[in-house]
Amino acid sequence: LAAEVASLFPFGVLHLGGDELAPKIWDYSPAASALKAREGLETRDDLQGWTMAHLAADLATRGVRVASWEEASRGCQGGIGHDALIFSWTGQGAGVEAARMGHDVVMCPAQHTYLDMAHTGDRDDWGANWAAFIALEDTVNWSPVPVDAPDIAERVVGVQGTFWCEFTCVDTEMEPMLAPRILGVACKGWEVDGQTDGARLRALAGAY
């Protein structure tokens, strides 16, 4: 099925997901227990990494590069492997770890790039807040290459702004959440750190 889905798109890349696996998802599965015993796996992360690696291996033979959320790079066998592109979303730490394992990384830390988060803590400000309240300044006041990890610079291949719409169903709710913060996320993809700040972006957005 994954190969069939990959064939529908011309990019040669397929994102396999792999995030937010329930902690005890396989604890009561005899088949999962048998597989873990046979392959020397102990934890949920070990089993997920083993599974993702096998799927990635099959796709690699078909010329498809895989991508996944950060969780897929975990596990005693090194996780997904196979030149997978890793999306680091819970913060940047997982992205640093993946980069040092040899993965290319897209930085999309929820605290800066998740545009479904509310701008402020005002009760009338639409959006979620499980990651943070994200002001325009927060979308630009961070570095895709963390200052304490300059060694991974060549592995950070991009940034991604994200908008999950479980609670936002109409354009009138979505548009003020995207703009102007999407400008801040975009700047992180092409500008030198510190070149643009929130004030400059607010002035730019107000001019149009």
Side-chain angles (χ1 to χ4, degrees):
L1 180 59
E4 180 181 352
V5 173
S7 71
L8 299 176
F9 302 95
F11 315 117
V13 177
L14 181 65
H15 199 298
L16 300 179
D19 63 317
E20 300 187 17
L21 190 66
K24 297 184 178 181
I25 187 69
W26 291 309
D27 284 5
Y28 306 105
S29 167
S33 296
L35 176 60
K36 287 165 70 176
R38 185 174 73 246
E39 299 295 333
L41 311 174
E42 295 184 2
T43 69
R44 175 206 63 181
D45 288 344
D46 293 344
L47 183 52
Q48 181 179 20
W50 183 93
T51 303
M52 296 291 277
H54 277 69
L55 178 55
D58 176 71
L59 289 167
T61 66
R62 304 169 188 271
V64 177
R65 186 184 189 188
V66 296
S68 69
W69 295 110
E70 63 189 52
E71 291 92 329
S73 63
R74 301 172 186 166
C76 64
Q77 295 182 333
I80 190 171
H82 298 94
D83 193 34
L85 181 62
I86 300 298
F87 287 68
S88 183
W89 68 276
T90 61
Q92 292 183 273
V96 172
E97 291 180 11
R100 288 175 176 165
M101 291 170 62
H103 291 288
D104 288 340
V105 174
V106 175
M107 288 294 188
C108 45
Q111 302 83 2
H112 299 284
T113 69
Y114 272 39
L115 303 182
D116 51 318
M117 298 296 113
H119 293 254
T120 71
D122 189 307
R123 63 182 297 173
D124 294 324
D125 191 358
W126 187 262
N129 65 3
W130 61 262
F133 295 118
I134 301 178
L136 175 61
E137 286 74 14
D138 296 316
T139 66
V140 290
N141 292 340
W142 66 287
S143 174
V145 179
V147 294
D148 59 351
D151 56 298
I152 72 163
E154 291 186 358
R155 289 293 184 181
V156 178
V157 297
V159 300
Q160 175 179 272
T162 307
F163 190 99
W164 305 106
C165 58
E166 295 97 323
F167 310 110
T168 305
C169 305
V170 295
D171 289 350
T172 53
E173 294 170 345
M174 181 178 70
E175 289 170 355
M177 298 177 75
L178 292 177
R181 293 185 298 180
I182 196 170
L183 297 176
V185 176
C187 284
K188 304 311 296 183
W190 68 64
E191 283 194 346
V192 176
D193 283 344
Q195 182 170 333
T196 294
D197 59 19
R200 182 182 177 193
L201 287 178
R202 290 181 191 282
L204 177 65
Y208 290 94

